[in-house]
């Protein structure tokens, strides 16, 4: 079951939650990566989100600690030309939707404390991207997603330290990664000027 508890007041989601996604109507960045002979290592619920299409290896994990551990393992296992894709879902499901400001802050501090373990595994030509798929301000009323702009942070050797122009769509992120990985461009999106 995707939750435990006896009533609405004490329901808690478990890591057994699954997203039953409809496959994308056109090839995704992940599909293009695999078609070009690369690999896509999906950590956590990423495989579910993409209907298990364009995924070459899946690392099941739930909870921030286990997601960080699985991400580290995936990065360590990854050969050249691999995208390691993790969704740290706890920020959304455990803290954002629950409007748990303190828990959200503590989770950010925990993630910040573990991030150097991931970056230490990166090779000189690796690209690190951190972003969010939507807002989920834990101080907002209600339980729905919120509408604030999301961060898009790129890091890697040779990437200029500068503020990028605001992206208009998530497709811009995909196009930027396709360009960096030197694979066929995605059908939509404009690449960011990282260099």
């Amino acid at each position: 079951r995707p939750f435990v508890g006896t009533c609405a007041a004490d329901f808690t989601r478990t890591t057994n939650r699954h997203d039953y996604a409809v496959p994308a109507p056109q090839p995704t960045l992940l599909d293009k990566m695999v078609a070009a002979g690369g690999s896509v290592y999906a950590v956590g619920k990423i495989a579910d989100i993409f209907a298990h299409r364009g995924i070459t290896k899946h690392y099941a994990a739930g909870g921030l600690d286990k997601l960080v551990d699985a991400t580290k393992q995936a990065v360590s296992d990854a050969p050249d030309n691999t995208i390691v894709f993790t969704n740290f879902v706890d920020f959304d499901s455990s803290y954002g939707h629950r409007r748990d400001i303190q828990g959200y802050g503590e989770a950010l501090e925990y993630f910040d404390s573990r991030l150097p373990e991931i970056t230490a595994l990166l090779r000189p030509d690796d690209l690190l991207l951190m972003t969010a798929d939507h807002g989920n301000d834990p101080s907002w009323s209600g339980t729905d997603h919120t509408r604030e702009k999301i961060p898009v942070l790129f890091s890697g050797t040779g990437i200029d330290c500068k503020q990028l122009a605001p992206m208009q769509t998530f497709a811009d992120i995909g196009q930027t990664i396709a360009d960096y990985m030197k694979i066929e461009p995605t059908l939509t999106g404009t690449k960011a000027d990282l260099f």
Side-chain angles (χ1 to χ4, degrees), residues 131-180:
T131 190
D133 56 348
H134 54 72
N136 210 343
D137 181 348
S139 68
W140 199 254
S141 60
T143 59
D144 291 338
H145 295 153
T146 54
R147 299 286 182 180
E148 68 273 7
K149 293 180 180 179
I150 61 163
V152 180
L153 305 169
F154 292 96
S155 177
T157 303
I159 294 176
D160 292 339
C161 183
K162 63 181 177 181
Q163 183 170 336
L164 298 173
M167 295 183 170
Q168 301 303 307
T169 173
F170 282 111
D172 294 349
I173 295 171
Q175 196 69 270
T176 302
I177 295 170
D179 180 70
Y180 189 84

Short mmCIF file of all heavy atoms in Angstrom, two decimals, residues 131-180:
data_model
loop_
_atom_site.label_atom_id
_atom_site.label_comp_id
_atom_site.label_asym_id
_atom_site.label_seq_id
_atom_site.Cartn_x
_atom_site.Cartn_y
_atom_site.Cartn_z
N THR A 131 17.47 20.92 -9.99
CA THR A 131 16.28 21.72 -10.28
C THR A 131 15.09 21.10 -9.54
O THR A 131 15.24 20.20 -8.72
CB THR A 131 16.04 21.80 -11.80
OG1 THR A 131 15.02 22.77 -12.07
CG2 THR A 131 15.68 20.45 -12.40
N ALA A 132 13.93 21.58 -9.83
CA ALA A 132 12.68 21.05 -9.27
C ALA A 132 11.67 20.94 -10.39
O ALA A 132 11.77 21.65 -11.40
CB ALA A 132 12.16 21.98 -8.17
N ASP A 133 10.71 20.05 -10.24
CA ASP A 133 9.71 19.91 -11.30
C ASP A 133 8.52 20.84 -11.10
O ASP A 133 7.69 21.00 -11.99
CB ASP A 133 9.24 18.46 -11.45
CG ASP A 133 8.70 17.84 -10.18
OD1 ASP A 133 8.88 18.43 -9.10
OD2 ASP A 133 8.10 16.77 -10.27
N HIS A 134 8.45 21.49 -9.93
CA HIS A 134 7.39 22.45 -9.66
C HIS A 134 7.66 23.06 -8.29
O HIS A 134 8.51 22.59 -7.54
CB HIS A 134 6.00 21.79 -9.66
CG HIS A 134 5.92 20.61 -8.73
ND1 HIS A 134 5.92 20.74 -7.35
CD2 HIS A 134 5.89 19.28 -8.98
CE1 HIS A 134 5.86 19.55 -6.80
NE2 HIS A 134 5.84 18.64 -7.77
N GLY A 135 6.93 24.10 -7.97
CA GLY A 135 7.03 24.67 -6.63
C GLY A 135 6.19 23.88 -5.65
O GLY A 135 5.23 23.19 -6.03
N ASN A 136 6.57 23.95 -4.39
CA ASN A 136 5.77 23.34 -3.33
C ASN A 136 6.16 24.01 -2.01
O ASN A 136 6.70 23.39 -1.11
CB ASN A 136 5.97 21.83 -3.27
CG ASN A 136 4.74 21.13 -2.75
OD1 ASN A 136 3.86 21.75 -2.16
ND2 ASN A 136 4.66 19.84 -2.97
N ASP A 137 5.86 25.28 -1.94
CA ASP A 137 6.21 26.12 -0.80
C ASP A 137 5.53 25.60 0.46
O ASP A 137 4.30 25.59 0.55
CB ASP A 137 5.77 27.55 -1.09
CG ASP A 137 6.11 28.54 0.01
OD1 ASP A 137 6.48 28.12 1.12
OD2 ASP A 137 5.98 29.75 -0.25
N PRO A 138 6.32 25.15 1.46
CA PRO A 138 5.70 24.58 2.65
C PRO A 138 4.99 25.61 3.53
O PRO A 138 4.28 25.23 4.46
CB PRO A 138 6.89 23.94 3.39
CG PRO A 138 8.06 24.74 2.96
CD PRO A 138 7.78 25.13 1.53
N SER A 139 5.15 26.90 3.23
CA SER A 139 4.47 27.92 4.03
C SER A 139 3.15 28.36 3.42
O SER A 139 2.44 29.19 3.98
CB SER A 139 5.39 29.14 4.23
OG SER A 139 5.59 29.82 3.00
N TRP A 140 2.80 27.82 2.25
CA TRP A 140 1.58 28.21 1.55
C TRP A 140 0.39 27.48 2.13
O TRP A 140 0.52 26.42 2.73
CB TRP A 140 1.73 27.91 0.06
CG TRP A 140 0.77 28.64 -0.81
CD1 TRP A 140 -0.32 28.13 -1.43
CD2 TRP A 140 0.81 30.02 -1.17
NE1 TRP A 140 -0.97 29.10 -2.14
CE2 TRP A 140 -0.28 30.28 -2.00
CE3 TRP A 140 1.67 31.07 -0.85
CZ2 TRP A 140 -0.55 31.54 -2.53
CZ3 TRP A 140 1.40 32.31 -1.37
CH2 TRP A 140 0.32 32.54 -2.20
N SER A 141 -0.79 28.02 1.93
CA SER A 141 -2.01 27.35 2.41
C SER A 141 -2.40 26.21 1.47
O SER A 141 -2.03 26.20 0.31
CB SER A 141 -3.15 28.37 2.52
OG SER A 141 -3.41 28.92 1.24
N GLY A 142 -3.15 25.27 1.99
CA GLY A 142 -3.61 24.15 1.17
C GLY A 142 -2.52 23.12 0.98
O GLY A 142 -1.44 23.21 1.56
N THR A 143 -2.80 22.12 0.14
CA THR A 143 -1.83 21.04 -0.06
C THR A 143 -1.38 20.91 -1.51
O THR A 143 -0.61 20.01 -1.84
CB THR A 143 -2.42 19.69 0.38
OG1 THR A 143 -3.61 19.44 -0.38
CG2 THR A 143 -2.74 19.69 1.86
N ASP A 144 -1.84 21.80 -2.40
CA ASP A 144 -1.49 21.71 -3.82
C ASP A 144 -0.08 22.23 -4.07
O ASP A 144 0.52 22.91 -3.24
CB ASP A 144 -2.47 22.51 -4.67
CG ASP A 144 -3.86 21.89 -4.70
OD1 ASP A 144 -3.98 20.68 -4.42
OD2 ASP A 144 -4.82 22.62 -4.99
N HIS A 145 0.44 21.93 -5.28
CA HIS A 145 1.69 22.53 -5.72
C HIS A 145 1.52 24.04 -5.75
O HIS A 145 0.42 24.55 -5.93
CB HIS A 145 2.06 22.04 -7.12
CG HIS A 145 2.35 20.57 -7.16
ND1 HIS A 145 2.18 19.81 -8.28
CD2 HIS A 145 2.81 19.73 -6.21
CE1 HIS A 145 2.52 18.56 -8.03
NE2 HIS A 145 2.90 18.49 -6.77
N THR A 146 2.63 24.75 -5.62
CA THR A 146 2.59 26.22 -5.65
C THR A 146 3.29 26.71 -6.91
O THR A 146 3.91 25.94 -7.63
CB THR A 146 3.22 26.79 -4.37
OG1 THR A 146 4.54 26.25 -4.20
CG2 THR A 146 2.38 26.42 -3.14
N ARG A 147 3.18 27.99 -7.18
CA ARG A 147 3.54 28.52 -8.49
C ARG A 147 4.85 29.31 -8.57
O ARG A 147 5.10 29.95 -9.58
CB ARG A 147 2.40 29.43 -8.99
CG ARG A 147 1.09 28.72 -9.15
CD ARG A 147 1.12 27.85 -10.35
NE ARG A 147 -0.16 27.18 -10.53
CZ ARG A 147 -0.42 26.36 -11.52
NH1 ARG A 147 0.50 26.11 -12.41
NH2 ARG A 147 -1.58 25.79 -11.61
N GLU A 148 5.67 29.30 -7.51
CA GLU A 148 6.90 30.08 -7.60
C GLU A 148 7.84 29.52 -8.66
O GLU A 148 7.72 28.36 -9.06
CB GLU A 148 7.60 30.16 -6.24
CG GLU A 148 8.17 28.85 -5.75
CD GLU A 148 7.17 28.01 -4.97
OE1 GLU A 148 5.98 28.35 -4.92
OE2 GLU A 148 7.59 26.99 -4.44
N LYS A 149 8.76 30.36 -9.12
CA LYS A 149 9.76 29.90 -10.09
C LYS A 149 10.68 28.91 -9.39
O LYS A 149 10.89 28.96 -8.19
CB LYS A 149 10.55 31.08 -10.63
CG LYS A 149 9.71 32.01 -11.47
CD LYS A 149 10.51 33.16 -11.99
CE LYS A 149 9.62 34.06 -12.84
NZ LYS A 149 10.35 35.21 -13.35
N ILE A 150 11.24 28.00 -10.18
CA ILE A 150 12.12 26.97 -9.63
C ILE A 150 13.58 27.29 -9.96
O ILE A 150 13.86 27.96 -10.94
CB ILE A 150 11.75 25.58 -10.17
CG1 ILE A 150 11.88 25.54 -11.70
CG2 ILE A 150 10.34 25.18 -9.73
CD1 ILE A 150 11.93 24.17 -12.29
N PRO A 151 14.50 26.80 -9.14
CA PRO A 151 15.92 27.00 -9.46
C PRO A 151 16.35 26.03 -10.55
O PRO A 151 15.83 24.92 -10.67
CB PRO A 151 16.63 26.68 -8.14
CG PRO A 151 15.72 25.67 -7.49
CD PRO A 151 14.32 26.09 -7.88
N VAL A 152 17.30 26.44 -11.36
CA VAL A 152 17.95 25.58 -12.34
C VAL A 152 19.44 25.87 -12.19
O VAL A 152 19.91 26.92 -12.61
CB VAL A 152 17.47 25.86 -13.79
CG1 VAL A 152 18.17 24.93 -14.78
CG2 VAL A 152 15.96 25.72 -13.89
N LEU A 153 20.16 24.95 -11.55
CA LEU A 153 21.58 25.15 -11.24
C LEU A 153 22.42 24.12 -11.98
O LEU A 153 22.22 22.91 -11.80
CB LEU A 153 21.81 25.01 -9.73
CG LEU A 153 20.95 25.90 -8.83
CD1 LEU A 153 21.10 25.48 -7.38
CD2 LEU A 153 21.33 27.35 -9.01
N PHE A 154 23.34 24.59 -12.81
CA PHE A 154 24.28 23.72 -13.52
C PHE A 154 25.65 23.89 -12.89
O PHE A 154 26.05 25.00 -12.55
CB PHE A 154 24.37 24.12 -15.00
CG PHE A 154 23.14 23.86 -15.80
CD1 PHE A 154 22.22 24.87 -16.02
CD2 PHE A 154 22.91 22.62 -16.37
CE1 PHE A 154 21.08 24.64 -16.78
CE2 PHE A 154 21.78 22.39 -17.13
CZ PHE A 154 20.87 23.40 -17.35
N SER A 155 26.39 22.79 -12.78
CA SER A 155 27.75 22.85 -12.25
C SER A 155 28.61 21.83 -12.97
O SER A 155 28.15 20.75 -13.31
CB SER A 155 27.72 22.54 -10.75
OG SER A 155 29.03 22.52 -10.22
N GLY A 156 29.84 22.21 -13.23
CA GLY A 156 30.80 21.30 -13.86
C GLY A 156 32.02 22.06 -14.31
O GLY A 156 32.02 23.29 -14.39
N THR A 157 33.05 21.30 -14.65
CA THR A 157 34.29 21.91 -15.12
C THR A 157 34.03 22.68 -16.41
O THR A 157 33.40 22.18 -17.32
CB THR A 157 35.35 20.81 -15.37
OG1 THR A 157 35.53 20.08 -14.15
CG2 THR A 157 36.67 21.41 -15.81
N GLY A 158 34.50 23.89 -16.46
CA GLY A 158 34.37 24.70 -17.67
C GLY A 158 33.06 25.45 -17.80
O GLY A 158 32.88 26.23 -18.74
N ILE A 159 32.13 25.23 -16.89
CA ILE A 159 30.87 25.95 -16.96
C ILE A 159 31.06 27.32 -16.31
O ILE A 159 31.59 27.42 -15.21
CB ILE A 159 29.74 25.16 -16.27
CG1 ILE A 159 29.48 23.89 -17.07
CG2 ILE A 159 28.47 25.99 -16.16
CD1 ILE A 159 28.46 22.98 -16.45
N ASP A 160 30.68 28.35 -17.03
CA ASP A 160 30.83 29.71 -16.53
C ASP A 160 29.96 29.93 -15.29
O ASP A 160 28.82 29.45 -15.24
CB ASP A 160 30.43 30.73 -17.60
CG ASP A 160 31.39 30.75 -18.77
OD1 ASP A 160 32.55 30.31 -18.60
OD2 ASP A 160 30.99 31.21 -19.86
N CYS A 161 30.51 30.64 -14.34
CA CYS A 161 29.75 31.03 -13.14
C CYS A 161 29.01 32.31 -13.49
O CYS A 161 29.58 33.40 -13.50
CB CYS A 161 30.70 31.24 -11.96
SG CYS A 161 29.83 31.64 -10.44
N LYS A 162 27.73 32.16 -13.84
CA LYS A 162 26.94 33.32 -14.26
C LYS A 162 25.47 33.01 -14.09
O LYS A 162 25.06 31.85 -13.96
CB LYS A 162 27.23 33.67 -15.72
CG LYS A 162 26.84 32.55 -16.70
CD LYS A 162 27.17 32.93 -18.11
CE LYS A 162 26.84 31.81 -19.08
NZ LYS A 162 27.18 32.15 -20.45
N GLN A 163 24.68 34.05 -14.11
CA GLN A 163 23.23 33.89 -14.07
C GLN A 163 22.73 33.69 -15.49
O GLN A 163 23.03 34.50 -16.38
CB GLN A 163 22.57 35.11 -13.45
CG GLN A 163 21.08 34.96 -13.31
CD GLN A 163 20.46 36.08 -12.49
OE1 GLN A 163 21.12 36.71 -11.68
NE2 GLN A 163 19.18 36.30 -12.69
N LEU A 164 22.00 32.62 -15.70
CA LEU A 164 21.43 32.35 -17.02
C LEU A 164 20.12 33.11 -17.18
O LEU A 164 19.45 33.43 -16.21
CB LEU A 164 21.15 30.85 -17.17
CG LEU A 164 22.35 29.92 -17.09
CD1 LEU A 164 21.89 28.46 -17.10
CD2 LEU A 164 23.32 30.18 -18.23
N ALA A 165 19.78 33.37 -18.42
CA ALA A 165 18.47 33.96 -18.70
C ALA A 165 17.40 32.98 -18.24
O ALA A 165 17.59 31.76 -18.31
CB ALA A 165 18.34 34.24 -20.19
N PRO A 166 16.27 33.47 -17.76
CA PRO A 166 15.20 32.56 -17.33
C PRO A 166 14.79 31.62 -18.47
O PRO A 166 14.66 32.04 -19.61
CB PRO A 166 14.05 33.49 -16.96
CG PRO A 166 14.72 34.79 -16.64
CD PRO A 166 15.91 34.88 -17.55
N MET A 167 14.62 30.35 -18.13
CA MET A 167 14.15 29.38 -19.11
C MET A 167 12.64 29.47 -19.21
O MET A 167 11.97 29.75 -18.23
CB MET A 167 14.62 27.98 -18.72
CG MET A 167 16.12 27.82 -18.75
SD MET A 167 16.62 26.14 -18.36
CE MET A 167 18.36 26.25 -18.76
N GLN A 168 12.13 29.22 -20.39
CA GLN A 168 10.70 29.36 -20.63
C GLN A 168 9.94 28.06 -20.40
O GLN A 168 8.73 28.06 -20.22
CB GLN A 168 10.45 29.87 -22.04
CG GLN A 168 11.11 31.22 -22.32
CD GLN A 168 10.66 32.29 -21.34
OE1 GLN A 168 9.47 32.52 -21.16
NE2 GLN A 168 11.62 32.94 -20.70
N THR A 169 10.65 26.92 -20.44
CA THR A 169 10.01 25.62 -20.37
C THR A 169 11.01 24.57 -19.89
O THR A 169 12.22 24.76 -20.02
CB THR A 169 9.45 25.22 -21.76
OG1 THR A 169 8.95 23.88 -21.70
CG2 THR A 169 10.50 25.31 -22.85
N PHE A 170 10.52 23.47 -19.36
CA PHE A 170 11.39 22.36 -18.99
C PHE A 170 12.13 21.82 -20.20
O PHE A 170 13.22 21.25 -20.08
CB PHE A 170 10.60 21.23 -18.33
CG PHE A 170 10.25 21.50 -16.90
CD1 PHE A 170 8.94 21.73 -16.53
CD2 PHE A 170 11.23 21.51 -15.93
CE1 PHE A 170 8.61 21.97 -15.21
CE2 PHE A 170 10.91 21.74 -14.60
CZ PHE A 170 9.60 21.98 -14.25
N ALA A 171 11.56 21.99 -21.39
CA ALA A 171 12.22 21.52 -22.60
C ALA A 171 13.57 22.20 -22.80
O ALA A 171 14.48 21.62 -23.40
CB ALA A 171 11.32 21.75 -23.82
N ASP A 172 13.73 23.41 -22.27
CA ASP A 172 15.02 24.09 -22.36
C ASP A 172 16.10 23.34 -21.58
O ASP A 172 17.26 23.28 -22.00
CB ASP A 172 14.92 25.53 -21.83
CG ASP A 172 14.02 26.42 -22.69
OD1 ASP A 172 13.64 26.02 -23.81
OD2 ASP A 172 13.71 27.53 -22.24
N ILE A 173 15.72 22.77 -20.46
CA ILE A 173 16.66 21.97 -19.67
C ILE A 173 17.07 20.73 -20.46
O ILE A 173 18.26 20.40 -20.58
CB ILE A 173 16.05 21.58 -18.31
CG1 ILE A 173 15.79 22.83 -17.45
CG2 ILE A 173 16.96 20.59 -17.57
CD1 ILE A 173 15.00 22.56 -16.18
N GLY A 174 16.09 20.04 -21.04
CA GLY A 174 16.38 18.86 -21.84
C GLY A 174 17.26 19.18 -23.03
O GLY A 174 18.21 18.44 -23.34
N GLN A 175 16.98 20.28 -23.71
CA GLN A 175 17.78 20.68 -24.87
C GLN A 175 19.22 21.00 -24.46
O GLN A 175 20.18 20.69 -25.17
CB GLN A 175 17.15 21.89 -25.55
CG GLN A 175 17.65 22.16 -26.94
CD GLN A 175 17.20 21.10 -27.92
OE1 GLN A 175 17.89 20.11 -28.10
NE2 GLN A 175 16.04 21.29 -28.52
N THR A 176 19.39 21.61 -23.29
CA THR A 176 20.72 21.95 -22.79
C THR A 176 21.51 20.68 -22.49
O THR A 176 22.69 20.58 -22.84
CB THR A 176 20.61 22.83 -21.52
OG1 THR A 176 19.86 24.02 -21.86
CG2 THR A 176 21.97 23.22 -20.99
N ILE A 177 20.86 19.69 -21.89
CA ILE A 177 21.54 18.43 -21.60
C ILE A 177 21.86 17.69 -22.89
O ILE A 177 22.96 17.14 -23.05
CB ILE A 177 20.69 17.56 -20.64
CG1 ILE A 177 20.55 18.26 -19.29
CG2 ILE A 177 21.31 16.17 -20.49
CD1 ILE A 177 19.55 17.61 -18.36
N ALA A 178 20.93 17.67 -23.85
CA ALA A 178 21.18 17.01 -25.15
C ALA A 178 22.40 17.63 -25.82
O ALA A 178 23.27 16.91 -26.35
CB ALA A 178 19.95 17.12 -26.04
N ASP A 179 22.51 18.94 -25.79
CA ASP A 179 23.65 19.62 -26.39
C ASP A 179 24.94 19.24 -25.66
O ASP A 179 25.96 18.94 -26.29
CB ASP A 179 23.43 21.14 -26.34
CG ASP A 179 24.57 21.91 -26.95
OD1 ASP A 179 24.74 21.85 -28.19
OD2 ASP A 179 25.32 22.57 -26.19
N TYR A 180 24.91 19.24 -24.34
CA TYR A 180 26.09 18.92 -23.54
C TYR A 180 26.54 17.47 -23.80
O TYR A 180 27.74 17.20 -23.91
CB TYR A 180 25.81 19.11 -22.05
CG TYR A 180 27.04 19.00 -21.20
CD1 TYR A 180 27.88 20.10 -21.02
CD2 TYR A 180 27.39 17.80 -20.59
CE1 TYR A 180 29.04 20.00 -20.25
CE2 TYR A 180 28.54 17.69 -19.83
CZ TYR A 180 29.36 18.78 -19.67
OH TYR A 180 30.51 18.67 -18.91
#
